[in-house]
Amino acid sequence: MKKSIALLWLAVLALTINTRAALTPIELRCDYALNPLGVDSASPRLFWKFARSDRDQKQTAYQIIVASSENNLRLAQGDLWDSEKIISDENIQIAYGGSALKSAQQVFWQVRVWDADGNTSAWSKPASWTMGVLTKADWHAQWIGAADKDISSLLLRRDFTVKPGLKRALINICGLGQYELTLNGKKVSDDFLSPGWTKYDATCLYDTHDITRELQRGQNAIGIELGNGMYNSLGSGRFTKFKRSFGQQQAIAQIRLEYADGSVEFIVTDGSWKTSAGPITFNTIYGGEDLDARLIQCCWNKPGFDDSKWSPAILLNGPGGELRGLSCAAPPLKFFETHQGKAIHTLTNGDVVYDLGQNASHVPVITVAGAAGSEVSVMPSELLGPDGGVDQKSMGAGKRGGYLSEFTKGTDGIETWSPKFNFVGCRYFQIHLTPAVTNDPLPKIKSVAARVMHSSSEPVGEFECSNDLFNRTRKLVRWAQRSNMLSLLTDCPHREKLGWLEQAHLNGPGIRYEFALDQLFTKVMNDIADSQLTNGLVPTTAPEYAIFADKTDAAHPRNNFGDSPEWSAAFILVPWQQYEFSGDLELFRRHYAAMQAYIAYLGTRANNYILDYGLGDWYDLGPNKPGVSQLTPRALTATAFYFENVNVMAQAAALLGHDADAKEFSELAEKIRAAFNEKFYDATHHSYATGSQCANAIPLAFGICDNWNRAAVLDALVRDIRENNTANTAGDVGYRFVLRALADGGRSDVIFDINNQTNKPGYGMQLAKGKTSLTEAWDGGSSQNHFMLGQIEEWFYHDLAGIQSADNGFKKIRIAPQPVGDVTWVKACYKSLRGEIEVKWQRSKNRFQLEVEIPANTTAEIVVPAASAAAVQAPRGATFLRWENGRASYTTGSGEYSFRVKN
C-alpha cells in the first residue's frame, strides 16, 4: 500500500515537473491596431501575443471566433466566423476568413491556442474592430464648402436631433486640408492635423469616431473648422516650400445613429449646412497661423446658435481622391510633453527671445494679458543670430519673418492661444508685442510654452549602454525621428515637411527598432503608389507636392531631384523591411504590378544594365560644400540600387508564388551584378570605382561583391577609414551601408572608433556643439532637425545589442552582440509583433555574461563571443551548434537564458 502511494506521488511529481504553464494570448490586434475603428480592408488581419510563460512554450494550433455581438462572443458562438481548430504555430498576419462584413459593423473576437504540450488555453479577453465605409454607395454624404473661396479658415455647422433610445453613434469624416471636429461645443478626440496628408486627387483619408457619449437626447450641434494644411499651400508673403492647391476647403461627413429599436438614421453633409469665415485669418502649413480672437463667434458649434446670417453650404465634387480608411492611414498625430520657454534676453527693439531647451516639432502655447486688439507675434527659429534674435536661415526663410504667427486678443482678460493648423520645428521663439492703440500699454506675456507634436505610433524600443556618448547620440537621433514622424516621414519639420523617400528605407530598420511603424509605412506605400507616374517612374518625394522638373517630356519628366534611384528604391525596399520586421507580405501583394512597372522603368533608363543619373551619395564629406555626391560616382549607387530592387523583387515574387517572375528577376539581377563588377571593380586595388567608403561598402552590403573577394574589399574600406584619420566620409545614402558592411564583416570596432569621438564631423561633434536634434550636415550645419543620417540606431540594436530577425518577422530570432571599445554593458529590448525581446550583457577583463529573454512561440540562435566552446557556461535548454571565429552558437526555445563566459 505504501509503495503504491509512493509511486502515485512520484507520478504526480513527474507530471508537475513536465507540465508547463499554458500559453495565454494577449494584446489582440486587427490590422496592427487595438480595437480599431474605420477598418476597410477586404480581409482584416489578426494578431496576438502571449503573456510570459515557461521555457520552450509554443503554439501548435489556434481557434478564432468572431461574433456580431458581445453576448454571442460570451457564449463562444462565432456567428461571423469560427475558424475551428487550425493546426498552425502562426500568431500574426492571420487573415479574417468569415462572413462578408458591412459598413459600420462592429464585430467582437477572441482566440484560444493549444500549446506545446497540447494544453488548451482559456479564451483571450475579448477584442473588437469596427468597419469603415466599404463602398461608395454607403457614403450618404456629399462634399460641401463655401461659396466664398477666398477665406483662410472655414466654419461649417448644423443642428440635429437625437431621438430616445440611442444605442450607438459613429461619424466618418474627412475635412480638407485639415479639420477640427466639435460636437455640442467640445472637440472630438485629441488628434491634431487630421486627416493625414495625401495626394488628394488620388486618396483622401477619412477618420472614424465613436461619438455615442458626445451626443445628448434632443438637440445637438456639429461643428467643423477647416484649415489649409498641405491641401492648400499658396503662401501670402511668408515662407512656403511650393505653391499648389488641390482646390477650395471642403468636408464630407456622416453621422450614423443606431437606435435600440433597430432603426438607423444618418446626419450628413449636404446643402442644409451653414458656413461662415472662421477667426483664423491666415494659415499655411509652412508660413504660420494668425488668429484674430475678436472674430470668434461664441457658441457657434453649440445647439441653438443663431446662424441666420451664415451662408448656405454649396455642394462640391471633392478633390478627386478615393475615400480610404484605416487601410491607408497612419496613426493620428497627438501632443506629448510640453516644453516651457525661458526668457533668455531682450533685444534692442523690445522683443523677447525664449529658449524651449529642445529642437522639436512644436506648437506654441502663449498666455497673454492686455487690451482687446493688442497683438502678439511669434517668430520661431532653430538658431539665434549674432544679435541674439531668431535666425531662420536654417529653416529656408532668411534671417527672420518668413515664419510668423500672430494672435490678436479678443478681450481685456487673460487669454491663451495655440495654433490649430500649424506646427514648426524650432527651439526658440522671438515674441513681439503691439498695443491695441498707439502709445497704449503693451500686452504682457504670462507664459510661453510649446507642445511636442508627432505620430502616436507606439514606442517599442529601449537601448542603453555604458558609453554615455552613445546614449546621448541615440537621444539626438530619436528627437529627429520624433520630430519627423507625421502621417509620413518628413525630412525636417520646418522648411521641407516633405516625404523624401530615401530616409524611409535607409533609416527604416533603425526607426523600426524604436517605434511600431507598420501602419505608417503602409500609408507611405500608398502615397508612393499614388505618386507614381504612368511611365513607371517613382518620384523622390511622396506624396509628390513639389514637382522637381527642369523639363517635362515623356522620357524624362523629372530632374535628378525628382527622380533618383536611391530615393525611389523605397517603393520596393520598405515592403521588404516590413516583411523582415513583421512578416507582412501584404504590401507586395497590394503594389506588385506597380513595382513591376517601376523595375521596367529603370530598365528603360539603363545602358547595358548601368544606370547613371540621380543624386548619388547625397551630403557626403568631400572637398566642397555638401550636396550632390562628390566622392562616389552616381552611376555606382544608382546601379547598385537597381540590382537591390530587382534582387528583392525576385525574393518577394518567390514568397508570393510567382515563380516565373522570380526566375526572371533573378536572371536580371545577375546581369546587373555582372555589369556592375565589370564597370566598377578595380582589381589592382581590390576596391570599387574611386575607392570611397560608400563605393566599397554598398557592393559588400548588397552582396554584389563576389564572395572570394569580400575580405579584400572590406580591408580596402577599413584602410580608407583609417587613412582618413578614422573618420567617416559617406553621406545620406552610403553611411548605412558603411555600418552594415563593417558590422557584417566583424569590424564593429571600426564603427566604434568612428562614432566615439567629438572632434570630427559626426554625432559627437554635433553634441559637442550643443545640438539637441540630429542635423542635416555631419558637422552640425544646415537644417538642425533632420533624421536622414540617423542610421546608427540600427547598429545600436542590431549589432551592439545583437537583436536580429532571422526569419519572418522575428519568428526566428538571432541574438549576436558585438562587444567593442570601452562598452562594458548594454541593455536593450525590442517589442516585436510576437513579443518582447530583451538583451543584457556585461563584460570585464576575462568575463562576459549575456542574459536574454525570447518571447513565447519563437526560437532563437544565440551567439556568444568566446575564446573556445569550453569557455562558455551555457544554461539548461540551450543546445550547442558550433564554434567558429571566436563565437559560440546555441539554439533555444522561448524563455529566459543566461550565458557566462570565462576566457
Side-chain angles (χ1 to χ4, degrees), residues 56-74:
D56 296 322
Q57 258 305 8
K58 61 182 179 180
Q59 172 189 297
T60 57
Y62 67 82
Q63 182 183 5
I64 298 170
I65 58 172
V66 182
S68 59
S69 69
E70 292 180 277
N71 186 57
N72 284 351
L73 193 71
R74 195 177 300 113

Side-chain angles (χ1 to χ4, degrees), residues 226-238:
L226 298 179
N228 288 318
M230 277 290 185
Y231 183 77
N232 277 320
S233 182
L234 297 178
S236 180
R238 301 185 200 177

Side-chain angles (χ1 to χ4, degrees), residues 765-778:
M765 175 176 282
Q766 294 177 36
L767 289 165
K769 290 183 176 181
K771 308 303 178 182
T772 61
S773 182
L774 185 64
T775 65
E776 182 178 20
W778 280 119

